[in-house]
Structure formats: C-alpha cells, structure tokens
C-alpha cells in the first residue's frame, strides 16, 4: 500500500541508488552531497524500498546538521519511516530522535522551530509526542507569529489523538486564552479552528461574545466562522436566527471569498425572501466585479440554482444578470442567456428585448473575433422571447431581417426560421414582413436561407400586388435568360452540317496547333469553330443571388424556385381578374423552368441535374399547363396546414418538457402545519419571521420532491458476495457527474467479532479510487455502511473489483472474501437530451467518429423497433411523432443524448419493410472523439436486437 507524504518527488526507477553510496554521502562533510543523498533515501522509501541500515547513520551525521534544507528533508524522512513494529509498539531507536526534536523546538532559529511544529502535526505515536508537550506549549507564547500559529496547530493535532485529552487536559482553555490575546490573523484563525474542532461550545461562546466585531476580523477567521455557523445550524435549525444576522453583516466584508461563502451559507440555511434576495444581489455583484471567467461561470451556476428554487426573486434581478453579457467569453454569454430566458415575464420582456437588440447592433462592429457566434445566440434568444410573447415580435422582426445576408450562415438560418414562425403566429405582421423580405431578398447569399425565404414568399404572398412583386423579385434575382449560350459561329457550323450544300466550294484554313501533351497537330478553323464549347452567361450587374447559386450547380434550389413560382402563378389566377397578366406570368415561369432544365443537362456544369430536382421541375411544368382543383388545393393550402401542425406539435413538446422539469411536491395528510398569525413573535426579527413563514409553506405544500428514479433504485443494487459467505456484501451504485459512489452494506453473518475488516477495491479503465481503505471492527451479526468514491475521467466502460479482508480472534491468518465484479456501463453516463435539427446536422458534419451497422431484426413493426432502440440506448427521439405516424413502410429518425461530461451522442435510424415483412436498413451512430466507445456499444445493442 502507498504511504502518505506531504511532498511528492519524481523518482526514476530505472537508476535506483545503492544504499552504500547514500551512506557514504551522508557520512561526509559535503552539504550538497548530503542533500542529494537524503533526497535519494526519501525517494527509495516512497517506492517501497527498505533502508533500515541508514537510520543510525542519519541519527549520527544528519541530525546535528544546521542546514535548513537538510533539516527539512530529515523531517520528511522521519515522517515516512516505520516507527512501530508489527504489534504496534514503538521501536526502541525512535527514542533517539526525541531529544533532537526537543532541541529543534527550542532552537533559536524560527524556521527550524516552525517546521518541527508542523512535523508534529503528522505524528500519531503518543510515546514520541508525550515528552515534547512542554516545549510545544512554550512556543504558544513565542514572539514570532510563524511559530505561534504552528504551535496552535500542533496542540490541535495532539488533542485529537485517541489519548490526546489525557495528554493535554486544559488545551481548549489555553487556546481560548491565546485567542483572546492573539493579534496575528493566521494564528487567530488557527486558534479558533482548534476550538471549532475540539471544543465546539467554547467556539460558539467566543463568537457570540464578540458578535459585534466579526466584521473586523481577518478573512481567514471569517471563513472559519461561516463554517462553524453552517455546522451549528444544521444540527440545531432553531438557533439559525441569531447566526443569520452575523452572515448578513459579513456580506459587506472586503474579501470576495467571504462574500461568496456568505451568500452560499444564506441560501443553505434560510428560505426567507430577504435572505435569498441578499444572496442573489451578492452573486450579481460578484458577477460584475470579478474578471476571472472561471469565477463568473461558478457564480452563474449559483444563480441558476437560485432560479430553480426561487424564481420569483430572481425575476427582479434579470437586468443585473444580463449585464454579464459584457464579457467577451462565449460560455459566459451562453449561460447568461440560458438563465435569462427562463426568467422572462410580461413585466420585463420589453426591457430584455431592448437590451438584446442593443447587443445585436454591437455585433455589427466586427471588433471581436467570435461576433458571428454571439450574434447567433442573441438571435436565438430573441426568437425564443418573440414566440413566448408575440406582442414584442413587431419590435424585433425587422431588425432581425437585416441579418438575412449575414456572412455567418448559421445566424442567417436562425433569422429566416424566426421570420417563418413569426409570420404564421402574428398575422398582423404578414404584410410588413413580406414587403421587407421582398426588398431584402437580393442580399441573401446562402442557398438554405434562399430556400426558406422562397417558401415564405410562395405561401404568404396573398394579394395580387404581393404575388406580382414576388414573381418580379425572383425574375430579377435569376437575371436574363438563358443561363448559358452557344456561340453563333458554332450554331452556324452545326446548321451547315445538318443542311446539304450543292455546287458549293468549301475553303478551310489550316494552321498548326499545340496539343496537351506538347506535340504539334494540324487544325482547321472550321473544326475549331464547330467544337467551340458553350459558355455560361453570367448576367448583368443587376443579376442577383439566385443566378450565382444556380450556376454553381445547386439544383435543389432550382426545384424550390420552380415550386415557389408555381404557387405564385396558381394564386395569381385566383386573385388577378386579368387573364392577360396571368398568361404572361405563366409563360415567363415556364420559360424559367425550361432554362433551368437546359442548364442542368448542359456540359457547362461539372455535374448534371439530379433526378429528384428534374422530376420536381417537370411536375411544375405539367401543373401550369393543366391544373385541377384538387392539385390546386394541395399546393395552395396543404403545405401551410402542415407547417401550422408542425408549430403546434413543437409548442406541445415544449410544454411537456416544462411539465417534466417541474418539481412535484407531496405532503402527508398528518404533517404538522403551524399557523403564522397564532405564533408568538416576541424577540424575533423580520428575517426570522419570514423564514418561519417559508418553512410553514414548505410543510404545508410538501417539501419532499418526487424522485423519478425511485422505482429504479432497486435495480442498481448489486450483490457482491454469496449467501453462504461469512460476510455478505451488496452495493448501491450511484453515477454522479464526475464520480461514482458505491454505498456498500457489509453484514457479519457469524457469531464472532471481525477485526481489521477492510474493503479493498481496484479498478480497470479510466476509473480511479479517491479514498484509501479503512479498517473496521464488526460485531457479531451486525452491519456496516461503507462508502467508496471513484473518479471518472472519460466516458468509457470500466470494471470495479476487489475483496473483503478480515481477522478473527480464533484464527491468526487473515480471511479473504472475493467480491463479484461491478461493471460500470457507458449508458449510465448518458441521458436523453434535446437539440434543434440544425444543431444536429452541424454536429454530425463536425464529428469524426461514425459507425454503420446493417439492421436485420426479428421485429416486424418499424415503430416498435424504434421504441426498442430508444429504450436500449437511453436516447431521445428528435423526430416529431407526426412524422412517424402512418404505415408507409419507411421510417427515418434521429436520436440524441448527452453525457455527464457535456459530450454529444448522435444516432440515425433508417429502416424499410421488405416484401416478406422483415425490416432492413442502416443504423448510424456518431459522437465526439472523447466518446469513441459509444458507437460500438450502441451498434452492439442493434446487433443483439438483430440476433
């Protein structure tokens, strides 16, 4: 087992020093050589080497040294060597060091005295400490504060020993006298800490006696005072009234650490509105005054906790929280917006939106490197506010539309999605939004934004003037037709080849030409003209964005343009009485469709038009040539109805998520309820009265929060030993964010007392034990609860194994009971989560890990298979339920989850029902590099289902 030491020294095991060489160096007079030899001796001892022959040499040649470095290394050596034999008795040679320690405690040099006193804090052998106690007590009155503060710590450690109260009977009384006369802040803090740990009542008495001077004490002492208050109030909550006054007085302390601890103590001890408001104000002040980003993030976490339990109070401080947006750090800005969006109310929505608009305007300056990402977060926040409170949409929608041409495509997509939702949910804004969209359409440079904008134009241009303006805008952005041209000479040559010539003389000029490989060839001018390739017509300067995007080969956008023009022409037939205008618009649309088809089939682009886009454009041509009433209804009404249905489902899903997050309280019918108006208020401050009211409300409404995992707790209990073993053990495994807690119950099933019972654990994988095993004594047929903490450093599957070792009075040998292995599954680290479709696609494109498995399962129903996958992988289905309805024989769904470390896991399921009724398809999983183990585990689940 490793041995504890206060100093960690690097040790190269490849070149161990020989004990004789160390002995020779220690016997010499060279001080640097002695220092080097002492370091080697300490390193060898730390690595389980035995150097018993060196002890006498060190006593003879190292103890008398006056060098400070040697004395420090000597104390480290004395700390780690074995001082007792196997039976626990002190070794005789240890008496030799007692006189040296006594001399050091009376040494004229303050450093030697101080480090020796600190060394005594780590000694547990009473036989060595007892003769040194008079010298330790003398140092309590030394003139130097460094010695006094270490002497106080030495007294505390001696008093906490098993026999410490017999060694220092009046230690608390002595330290209390020292505390009353001490002037050094550190020594005063150590003295109060000693009373706090060893004489609790004396510490409380001293605190209440000097309650008016607490604000004048040093920072270190104030921190110990707060720790004492927390401990006292947890054991006796009825006395917290007189201590909360002390906490509130410390909120004005000059130390930010004290202020932070005061706020946390207030929240943990009191639920009175005055106390919570004071704590929240303190956090807001720290948020603005501290420049360290880590501090800001920690304070935001505390504010987020307050928001969950005291939302009404946090609503009043929303503008103070928003001031944290001045920080250039994206994590701070994102966390601030997340907190604020849950605190928005009709009373403060206007102020919040106004500030967000100002922040959006600031991002246009381009001074900061990540302005685009910050602007995207602000746009999403404004979008959320406008959906919750439609009355503010009119104040922000036109400002947002200025960013449709943003160079950050993600921001532009968020804006156009926002506009699409606002124009449906706010019919009064339809005319102004359509007008502004048509005016700014030429600024859009991203194909995805253009597609969404075209859909809006096709669905919400309702009047004749709007329809005509929409058609004119699209024509202007497409530019002049055709999109490519063939030279006139080439056309003439082609015509001459097709038309037979009689009685004509063909004259062709020939000239040498250099081929691609560098050789010469003869080329005629006629052939050169005949094979002149067609060229793209870039259009005039007024030609807009659609033409440039189409000429890059984006034929999906061409299909969207065709569908939009078709909708506009069909609606024009309903709202425009003039048949001439309708026929003109139809002709222009058909000409555009044919030009796009010709462009797709021409050799001027690197790849031809895809079949889906081509079929879509051809369908639009057929519709404009021959339109029926049913087809017209589908194109002009059904698309918009589907969008309305999608919005309603989205709103319903958000409502269900809010209900799921809401805490459900339960109160027992026989719980005590105290009536506030019938209570005696004598001697109670306003804060105490408020606290009593809040406690009564908690008791009345139920202060127990329903745990959704209550039903699954029994499933997490693992049996570690057999029923026939003399020691029965079982473990309850709890997976927290960054650690695993094993709550192990050990039962002695024998009629003998088990001595030195020790639970020894070891791990495989990225798991690490935090605490060292302790020895326990277990009475016959009694039980013991043992907790073990294990740190988790990555999202990977790990194994915990070990055994229980104990001794009995009848058997001299130790008995070992081997435990069953505990497998920590990666599924314990992930939980279902929600993200937008845009974020899902972005992450899928960025992540490098992707696994693919072909599915061949015995399950016959697509929906049943998807439900089984969701349950097995502990993931959330992002695809809307309406999209999964029906029996079409196909199913595609996206699943998403987050790990406890904030890592993302993505899954896509695409399945199809074959003619024989079986399901087949592809199961894809992707995640960030840190979660590399997830795809293989998820895929193994699918393979298990298939088998």
């Amino acid at each position: 087992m490793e041995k504890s030491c206060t100093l960690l020294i690097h040790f190269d095991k490849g070149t161990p020093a020989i004990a004789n060489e160390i002995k020779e160096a220690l016997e010499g007079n060279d001080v640097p050589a002695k220092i080097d030899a002492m370091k080697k001796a300490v390193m060898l001892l730390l690595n389980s080497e035995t150097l018993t022959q060196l002890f006498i040499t060190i006593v003879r040649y190292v103890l008398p040294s006056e060098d400070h470095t040697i004395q420090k290394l000597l104390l480290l050596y004395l700390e780690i060597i074995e001082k007792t034999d196997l039976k626990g008795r002190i070794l005789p040679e240890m008496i030799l060091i007692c006189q040296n320690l006594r001399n050091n405690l009376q040494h004229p040099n303050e450093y030697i005295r101080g480090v020796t006193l600190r060394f005594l804090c780590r000694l547990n052998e009473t036989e060595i400490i007892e003769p040194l106690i008079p010298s330790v007590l003398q140092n309590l009155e030394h003139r130097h504060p460094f010695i006094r503060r270490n002497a106080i710590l030495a007294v505390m450690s001696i008093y906490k020993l098993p026999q410490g109260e017999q060694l220092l009977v009046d230690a608390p009384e002595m330290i209390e006298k020292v505390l009353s006369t001490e002037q050094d802040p550190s020594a005063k803090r150590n003295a109060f800490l000693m009373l706090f740990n060893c004489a609790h009542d004396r510490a409380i008495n001293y605190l209440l006696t000097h309650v008016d001077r607490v604000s004048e004490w040093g920072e270190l002492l104030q921190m110990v005072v707060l720790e004492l208050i927390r401990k006292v109030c947890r054991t006796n909550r009825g006395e917290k009234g007189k201590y909360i006054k002390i906490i509130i007085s410390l909120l004005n302390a000059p130390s930010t650490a004290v202020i932070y601890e005061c706020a946390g103590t207030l929240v943990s001890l009191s639920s009175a509105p005055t106390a919570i408001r004071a704590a929240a104000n303190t956090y807001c002040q720290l948020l603005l005054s501290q420049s360290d980003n880590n501090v800001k993030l920690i304070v935001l976490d505390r504010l987020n906790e307050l928001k969950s339990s005291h939302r009404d109070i946090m609503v009043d401080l929303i503008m103070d929280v928003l001031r944290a947006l001045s920080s250039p750090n994206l994590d701070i800005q994102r966390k601030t917006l997340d907190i604020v969006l849950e605190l928005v109310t009709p009373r403060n929505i206007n102020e919040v939106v106004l500030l967000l608009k100002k922040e959006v305007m600031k991002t246009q300056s381009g001074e900061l490197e990540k302005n685009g990402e910050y602007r995207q977060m602000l746009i999403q926040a404004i979008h959320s506010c406008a959906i919750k409170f439609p009355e503010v949409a009119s104040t922000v929608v036109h400002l947002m539309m200025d960013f449709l041409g943003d160079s950050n495509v993600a921001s532009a997509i968020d804006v156009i999605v926002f506009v699409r939702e606002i124009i449906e949910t706010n019919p009064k804004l339809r005319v102004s939004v359509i007008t502004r969209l048509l005016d700014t359409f030429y600024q859009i440079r991203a194909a995805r934004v253009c597609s969404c904008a075209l859909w809006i134009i096709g669905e919400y241009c309702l009047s004749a003037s709007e329809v005509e303006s929409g058609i004119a805008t699209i024509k202007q952005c497409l530019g002049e037709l055709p999109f490519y041209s063939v030279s006139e000479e080439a056309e003439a040559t082609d015509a001459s080849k097709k038309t037979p010539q009689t009685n004509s003389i063909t004259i062709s000029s020939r000239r040498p030409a250099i081929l691609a490989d560098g050789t010469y060839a003869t080329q005629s001018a006629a052939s050169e003209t005949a094979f002149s390739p067609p060229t793209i017509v870039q259009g005039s300067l007024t030609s807009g964005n659609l033409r440039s995007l189409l000429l890059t080969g984006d034929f999906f956008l061409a299909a969207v343009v065709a569908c939009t023009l078709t909708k506009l022409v069909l609606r024009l037939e309903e709202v425009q009485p003039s048949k001439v205008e309708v026929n003109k618009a139809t002709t222009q649309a058909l000409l555009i469709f044919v030009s796009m088809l010709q462009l797709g089939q021409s050799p001027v682009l690197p790849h031809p038009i895809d079949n889906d886009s081509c079929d879509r454009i051809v369908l639009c041509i057929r519709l404009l040539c021959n339109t029926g009433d049913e087809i017209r209804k589908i194109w002009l009404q059904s698309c918009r109805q589907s969008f309305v249905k999608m919005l309603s489902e989205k709103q319903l899903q958000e409502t269900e998520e809010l209900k799921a997050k809401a805490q459900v309280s339960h109160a027992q019918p026989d719980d005590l309820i105290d009536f506030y108006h019938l209570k005696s208020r004598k001697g109670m401050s306003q804060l105490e009265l408020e606290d009593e009211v809040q406690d009564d409300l908690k008791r009345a409404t139920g202060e127990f929060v329903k745990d959704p995992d209550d039903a699954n707790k029994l499933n997490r209990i693992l049996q570690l030993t057999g029923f026939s073993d003399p020691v029965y053990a079982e473990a309850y495994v709890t997976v927290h964010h960054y650690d695993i807690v094993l709550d192990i119950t050990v039962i002695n099933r024998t009629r003998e007392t088990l001595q030195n019972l020790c639970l020894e654990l070891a791990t495989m994988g990225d798991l690490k034990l935090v605490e060292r095993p302790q020895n326990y004594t277990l009475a016959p047929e009694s039980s013991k609860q043992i907790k073990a903490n294990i740190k988790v450093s990555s999202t990977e599957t790990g194994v915990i194994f070990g055994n229980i070792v104990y001794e009995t009075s009848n058997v001299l040998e130790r008995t070992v009971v081997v435990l069953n292995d505990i497998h920590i599954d990666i599924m314990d680290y992930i939980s279902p989560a929600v993200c937008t479709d845009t974020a899902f696609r972005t992450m899928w494109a960025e992540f490098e890990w992707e696994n693919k498995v072909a599915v061949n399962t015995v399950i016959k129903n697509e929906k049943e298979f998807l439900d089984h996958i969701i349950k097995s992988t502990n993931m959330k289905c992002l695809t809307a339920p309406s999209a999964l309805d029906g029996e079409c024989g196909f199913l595609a769904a996206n699943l998403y989850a987050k790990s406890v470390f904030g890592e993302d896991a993505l899954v896509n399921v695409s399945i199809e029902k074959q003619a024989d009724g079986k399901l087949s398809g592809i199961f894809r999983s992707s995640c960030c590099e840190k979660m590399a183990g997830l795809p293989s585990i998820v895929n193994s689940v699918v393979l298990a289902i298939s088998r």
Side-chain angles (χ1 to χ4, degrees), residues 171-379:
E173 185 179 351
M174 284 190 300
I175 297 300
E176 189 174 11
K177 290 180 181 178
V178 171
L179 180 60
S180 60
T181 59
E182 183 60 61
Q183 299 299 322
D184 180 66
S186 297
K188 201 168 185 177
R189 175 259 181 192
N190 290 349
F192 190 81
L193 182 64
M194 189 273 174
L195 295 180
F196 167 62
N197 288 318
C198 304
H200 202 252
D201 295 336
R202 289 180 182 270
I204 296 174
N205 183 46
Y206 180 83
L207 174 62
L208 297 179
T209 305
H210 301 81
V211 66
D212 297 331
R213 300 181 58 188
V214 173
S215 57
E216 301 173 3
W217 292 349
E219 174 188 352
L220 297 175
L221 184 55
Q222 288 175 345
M223 296 288 280
V224 181
V225 167
L226 290 172
E227 189 176 351
L228 173 66
I229 291 174
R230 283 195 294 267
K231 184 176 181 180
V232 171
C233 294
R234 286 194 188 102
T235 56
N236 189 1
R237 298 189 65 87
E239 296 184 0
K240 65 182 179 182
K242 53 187 176 183
Y243 295 108
I244 287 180
K245 297 176 184 177
I246 301 175
I247 299 172
I248 292 180
S249 68
L250 288 177
L251 286 175
N252 299 320
S255 169
T256 53
V258 173
I259 294 174
Y260 175 79
E261 288 296 327
C262 281
T265 306
L266 265 181
V267 173
S268 63
L269 298 182
S270 174
S271 56
T274 304
I276 300 300
R277 190 173 289 106
N281 281 321
T282 302
Y283 284 139
C284 290
Q285 292 173 8
L286 291 173
L287 187 62
L288 300 175
S289 61
Q290 298 301 304
S291 58
D292 191 340
N293 290 337
N294 293 320
V295 174
K296 288 179 180 286
L297 289 171
I298 292 172
V299 172
L300 284 171
D301 286 336
R302 303 290 83 77
L303 287 172
N304 191 32
E305 293 172 0
L306 283 181
K307 176 208 67 181
S308 303
S309 54
H310 304 280
R311 184 178 182 276
D312 295 338
I313 296 173
M314 286 297 300
V315 165
D316 298 332
L317 301 173
I318 187 171
M319 299 309 295
D320 294 330
V321 178
L322 272 173
R323 292 169 65 186
L325 291 177
S326 58
S327 171
N329 185 274
L330 282 179
D331 293 329
I332 295 174
Q333 293 167 341
R334 183 179 294 106
K335 190 166 287 190
T336 302
L337 289 175
D338 291 341
I339 294 173
V340 166
L341 288 179
E342 296 188 26
L343 298 176
V344 176
T345 62
R347 188 177 60 185
N348 58 30
I349 181 63
N350 292 324
E351 292 179 291
V352 172
V353 170
L354 181 61
L355 190 144
L356 293 178
K357 286 168 61 178
K358 290 180 180 178
E359 290 295 319
V360 171
M361 299 298 291
K362 289 179 184 177
T363 60
Q364 292 181 318
S365 61
E367 297 177 359
L368 298 177
E369 188 177 318
K370 297 183 178 180
N371 265 347
E373 297 180 44
Y374 179 40
R375 181 162 56 246
Q376 183 181 358
M377 287 192 293
L378 291 171
I379 291 171

Side-chain angles (χ1 to χ4, degrees), residues 12 14 51 170 282 407 455 497 503 516 723 918 938:
D12 186 2
L51 302 173
D170 55 348
T282 302
S407 57
W455 186 89
K497 288 183 178 180
N503 300 325
F723 291 112
K918 293 184 179 181
V938 174

Side-chain angles (χ1 to χ4, degrees), residues 534-716:
T535 58
I536 293 176
V537 179
Q538 297 293 343
S540 62
L541 295 175
T542 59
S543 298
N545 46 357
L546 289 180
R547 187 183 192 91
S548 59
L549 291 171
L550 290 181
L551 294 180
T552 60
D554 191 344
F555 289 107
F556 176 78
L557 179 61
V560 175
V561 171
C563 293
T564 303
L565 285 175
T566 302
K567 291 179 182 178
L568 292 176
V569 172
L570 293 178
R571 187 166 284 114
L572 188 63
E573 293 178 0
E574 295 180 350
V575 298
Q576 177 60 264
S578 175
K579 296 296 182 182
V580 176
E581 294 294 332
V582 174
N583 292 336
K584 181 180 177 182
T586 303
T587 305
Q588 292 173 346
L590 290 172
L591 181 60
I592 291 172
F593 299 166
V594 173
S595 299
M596 289 190 295
L597 289 174
Q598 287 182 340
L599 176 66
Q601 296 171 356
S602 68
V604 296
L605 296 179
H607 58 83
I609 186 172
D610 57 283
N611 294 331
D612 292 338
S613 300
C614 181
D615 293 343
R616 193 73 169 169
I617 296 174
V618 171
L619 176 62
C620 293
I621 294 174
R622 291 177 177 173
L623 287 175
L624 292 185
C625 294
N626 185 14
T627 307
D629 293 336
E630 292 296 327
I631 298 297
R632 184 186 300 273
K633 182 179 178 181
I634 292 173
W635 278 72
L636 298 182
Q637 297 179 16
S638 299
C639 294
R640 188 169 173 182
Q641 291 172 358
S642 299
F643 178 62
V644 172
K645 186 178 179 182
M646 186 191 79
L647 290 181
S648 61
E649 288 181 351
K650 178 183 175 183
Q651 187 175 5
L652 180 62
Q653 184 178 3
E654 292 176 352
T655 305
E656 291 177 353
E657 290 174 3
L658 290 176
K659 289 181 180 179
K661 290 181 181 179
Q663 295 182 348
V664 182
S665 300
H666 299 273
Q668 298 299 324
D670 57 347
D671 284 349
L672 178 65
I673 300 177
D674 294 328
F675 291 93
Y676 169 69
H677 294 285
L678 302 180
K679 277 188 174 182
S680 174
R681 307 185 189 180
K682 292 181 181 180
M684 297 181 69
S685 64
Q686 182 62 29
L687 186 62
E688 291 177 88
L689 290 174
E690 290 180 8
D691 214 16
E692 289 291 333
V693 173
Q694 293 298 319
D695 289 345
D696 292 344
L697 288 174
K698 283 186 177 181
R699 281 192 286 269
T701 58
E703 58 183 345
F704 300 105
V705 179
K706 183 180 179 181
D707 188 357
D709 293 332
D710 282 345
N712 298 327
K713 283 188 174 181
L714 291 176
N715 296 333
R716 294 181 177 272

Side-chain angles (χ1 to χ4, degrees), residues 451-597:
S451 300
C452 191
L454 287 170
W455 186 89
I456 295 173
I457 292 172
E459 290 293 336
Y460 294 97
C461 287
L462 303 181
S463 65
S465 59
E466 291 172 352
V467 173
E468 291 174 353
S469 299
I471 295 174
T473 300
I474 294 174
K475 283 181 57 182
Q476 182 182 0
C477 292
L478 287 172
E480 300 175 358
L481 300 178
F483 295 106
Y484 79 100
S485 65
V486 181
S487 64
E488 296 180 0
E489 296 179 0
E491 291 177 356
T493 305
D494 292 341
S496 64
K497 288 183 178 180
K498 295 176 183 177
T499 306
Q501 300 289 333
T502 57
N503 300 325
S504 62
I505 301 174
T506 303
I507 301 174
S508 62
S509 61
R510 298 178 180 271
R511 62 180 180 183
I514 302 177
L515 301 181
D517 58 357
T519 58
Y520 288 93
T522 302
Q523 184 180 24
S524 65
S527 63
E528 180 185 0
T529 305
F531 292 97
S532 176
T535 58
I536 293 176
V537 179
Q538 297 293 343
S540 62
L541 295 175
T542 59
S543 298
N545 46 357
L546 289 180
R547 187 183 192 91
S548 59
L549 291 171
L550 290 181
L551 294 180
T552 60
D554 191 344
F555 289 107
F556 176 78
L557 179 61
V560 175
V561 171
C563 293
T564 303
L565 285 175
T566 302
K567 291 179 182 178
L568 292 176
V569 172
L570 293 178
R571 187 166 284 114
L572 188 63
E573 293 178 0
E574 295 180 350
V575 298
Q576 177 60 264
S578 175
K579 296 296 182 182
V580 176
E581 294 294 332
V582 174
N583 292 336
K584 181 180 177 182
T586 303
T587 305
Q588 292 173 346
L590 290 172
L591 181 60
I592 291 172
F593 299 166
V594 173
S595 299
M596 289 190 295
L597 289 174

